[in-house]
């Protein structure tokens, strides 16, 4: 059902995305795949649907979104998340028996338990065991780190050296990593940073974009049709919400339960709230000194803008000249975080609803506030 608001688990329920499905399927033997995309665009759905179809018994899904609200991620937190991901899927006695030989692992029935205290389990040992098990079974074990950028908040441990070790040595493992666009790339994996343990490693990149108008209209029509409804206001919905599948799904779900206008307004409000949280997360990540500057750039770019317009707007706001390199670095940070997109010589906002999110927005540390909410 297209208007099911949970993560889609089956290819049957996934609308379109044929190219991305094929690319992911074809990459399941590669060591590293990175799936980029805005919030709610369908990253988790793509991965789960493809893995349930093509690798149902050999993937482990670690959902790091659970740490979104936490200030930091401890070794214990991460090990527990890994433990949950194995317990959710493990059906193999052989895997359990291999894991049981590692220090810091205990097995009870079909459940594995990792210790994080003095006798702490080592991540590399767990990966070694999974790799050996996959080799024995003639399989590829796939480990998904969903929303990996949360691991930037890791305290007292670092996953990257272990990932680099696995990349170089464990031939039966594939890592699929997701995150909101370049945030996971620049802040977590840092594949282009010579200081990063993963520097220079090749990877497959898959970017999920919002639907275009034609796709969005078809998505809505088909979704309503599943409920026996002929829907002829899809263009209006696209006009308001844009093409992010998450918002379209939520709208469809709501419209089946309430009136058209109410469904549209509620979805819009929710989407704008989430986008505001994303913007404020970015600003609060140690950059609040530049808050006014970032928000000013986003405001100036709601209908598209040039580099020179940005510079002029910032100078007008501050009443002084600004160095070009400062303007460049502000823009680059917004691009890296996917809050801004470059199209030719113009900068635009990536999501239609961002316009509403940006106007009147003020971010305070760990809070979103605005007169316009
Ligand atoms: N191609 C699609 N076909 C049908 N529904 C989709 C599709 N893509 C996304 N959805 C729906 O959109 C919503 C968001 O999808 P999903 O959670 O997979 O996105 P995400 O990118 O992982 O989001 P988040 O950034 O919040 O983790 C869900 O309700 C999902 O069912
Ligand atoms: Mg997700």
């Amino acid at each position: 059902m297209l208007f099911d608001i949970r993560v889609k688990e089956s290819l049957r329920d996934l609308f379109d995305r044929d190219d991305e499905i094929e690319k992911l399927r074809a990459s399941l033997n590669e060591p590293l795949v990175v799936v980029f995309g805005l919030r709610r665009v369908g990253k988790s759905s793509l991965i789960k649907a493809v893995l349930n179809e093509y690798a149902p018994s050999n993937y482990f899904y670690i959902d790091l979104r659970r740490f979104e609200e936490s200030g930091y991620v401890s070794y214990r937190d991460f090990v527990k998340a890994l433990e949950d991901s194995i317990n959710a899927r493990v059906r193999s006695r052989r895997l359990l028996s291999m894991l049981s030989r590692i220090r810091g692992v205990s097995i009870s029935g079909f459940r594995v338990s990792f210790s994080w205290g003095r006798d702490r389990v080592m991540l590399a040992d767990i990966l070694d065991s999974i790799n050996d098990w996959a080799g024995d079974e003639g399989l590829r074990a796939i480990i998904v780190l969903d929303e990996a950028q949360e691991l930037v908040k890791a305290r007292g441990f670092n996953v990257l050296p272990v990932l680099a070790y696995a990349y170089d040595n464990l031939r039966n493992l594939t890592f699929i990593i997701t995150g909101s666009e370049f945030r996971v790339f620049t802040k977590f994996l840092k594949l282009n940073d010579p200081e990063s343990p993963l520097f220079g490693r090749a990877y497959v990149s898959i970017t999920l974009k919002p639907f275009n108008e034609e796709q969005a209209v078809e998505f809505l029509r088909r979704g309503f049709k599943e409920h026996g409804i002929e829907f002829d206001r899809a263009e209006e919905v696209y006009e308001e919400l844009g093409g992010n599948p998450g918002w379209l799904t939520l709208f469809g779900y709501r419209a089946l339960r309430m009136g058209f206008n109410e469904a549209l307004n509620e979805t819009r409000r929710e989407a704008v709230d989430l986008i505001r949280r994303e913007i404020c997360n970015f600003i609060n990540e140690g950059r609040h000194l530049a808050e006014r500057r970032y928000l000013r750039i986003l405001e100036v770019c709601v209908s598209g803008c040039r580099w020179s317009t940005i510079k002029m707007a910032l100078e007008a706001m501050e009443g002084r000249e600004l160095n070009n390199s400062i303007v460049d670095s502000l823009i680059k940070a917004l691009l890296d975080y996917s809050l801004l997109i470059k199209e030719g010589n113009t900068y635009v906002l990536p999501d239609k609803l961002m316009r509403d999110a940006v106007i009147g927005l003020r971010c305070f540390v760990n809070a979103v506030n605005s007169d316009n909410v």
Side-chain angles (χ1 to χ4, degrees), residues 2 4-8 13-15 17 38-46 65 146-147 180 211 219 245-246 249:
L2 291 185
D4 183 343
I5 50 175
R6 289 169 294 188
V7 170
K8 302 292 191 298
D13 293 325
L14 214 55
F15 176 82
R17 303 299 193 206
L38 293 172
R39 288 298 308 266
R40 312 306 291 151
V41 82
K43 302 175 293 294
S44 304
S45 295
L46 171 78
R65 170 79 23 92
D146 197 3
E147 301 300 329
S180 296
F211 294 149
F219 175 85
T249 304

Side-chain angles (χ1 to χ4, degrees), residues 66-73 77 150 153:
R66 60 158 92 175
F67 302 123
E68 193 173 33
E69 304 295 324
S70 319
Y72 66 93
V73 181
D77 295 332
E150 297 303 330
K153 299 188 286 198

Side-chain angles (χ1 to χ4, degrees), residues 85-86 218 235 239 258 268 286 298 329 341 360:
S85 76
I86 293 178
E218 181 55 26
E235 284 83 1
E239 197 48 46
M258 52 178 80
R268 207 166 143 276
L298 294 175
S329 71
I341 290 179

Side-chain angles (χ1 to χ4, degrees), residues 20-224:
E20 293 88 349
I21 292 169
E22 181 45 31
K23 191 164 180 190
L24 183 55
R25 188 200 61 73
S27 310
L28 293 180
N29 285 330
E30 300 290 333
L32 180 60
V33 182
V34 190
V35 178
F36 296 117
L38 293 172
R39 288 298 308 266
R40 312 306 291 151
V41 82
K43 302 175 293 294
S44 304
S45 295
L46 171 78
I47 292 170
K48 284 213 166 157
V50 167
L51 293 181
N52 284 335
E53 182 77 21
Y54 297 107
S57 59
N58 44 307
Y59 79 86
F60 304 98
Y61 196 96
I62 308 175
D63 189 354
L64 298 161
R65 170 79 23 92
R66 60 158 92 175
F67 302 123
E68 193 173 33
E69 304 295 324
S70 319
Y72 66 93
V73 181
S74 67
Y75 191 66
R76 173 184 182 221
D77 295 332
F78 183 70
V79 157
K80 281 277 149 215
L82 185 58
E83 187 184 290
D84 289 348
S85 76
I86 293 178
N87 285 329
R89 305 208 52 88
V90 74
R91 301 286 172 269
S92 160
R93 279 249 167 250
R94 187 193 291 225
L95 174 58
L96 288 174
S97 140
M98 285 172 137
L99 286 169
S100 71
R101 290 178 215 146
I102 308 173
R103 190 177 63 132
V105 175
S106 52
I107 307 284
S108 142
F110 255 97
R111 293 189 71 76
V112 65
S113 169
F114 296 140
S115 94
W116 62 85
R118 196 167 344 134
D119 208 18
R120 56 154 61 178
V121 67
M122 305 300 289
L123 294 178
D125 288 344
I126 298 175
L127 295 182
D128 274 337
S129 282
I130 296 177
N131 181 66
D132 290 346
W133 164 74
D136 286 355
E137 301 278 326
L139 293 169
R140 186 103 189 168
I142 296 162
I143 298 174
V144 183
L145 295 176
D146 197 3
E147 301 300 329
Q149 72 254 356
E150 297 303 330
L151 290 175
V152 171
K153 299 188 286 198
R155 292 287 179 279
F157 73 105
N158 184 357
V159 179
L160 282 196
V162 187
L163 279 183
Y165 161 76
Y167 187 109
D168 294 341
N169 299 293
L170 306 181
R171 298 300 152 120
N172 307 313
L173 294 189
T174 292
F175 288 90
I176 301 180
I177 290 184
T178 84
S180 296
E181 297 275 359
F182 291 98
R183 194 169 167 211
V184 73
F185 184 84
T186 3
K187 299 212 67 171
F188 176 59
L189 293 173
K190 301 188 200 156
L191 288 150
N192 286 343
D193 176 353
E195 303 282 306
S196 165
L198 273 174
F199 175 66
R201 307 299 195 288
Y203 65 99
V204 177
S205 143
I206 299 176
T207 302
L208 282 176
K209 296 230 159 65
F211 294 149
N212 61 28
E213 179 165 4
E214 197 184 324
Q215 291 167 313
V217 166
E218 181 55 26
F219 175 85
L220 288 168
R221 292 215 175 112
R222 208 184 290 175
F224 280 107

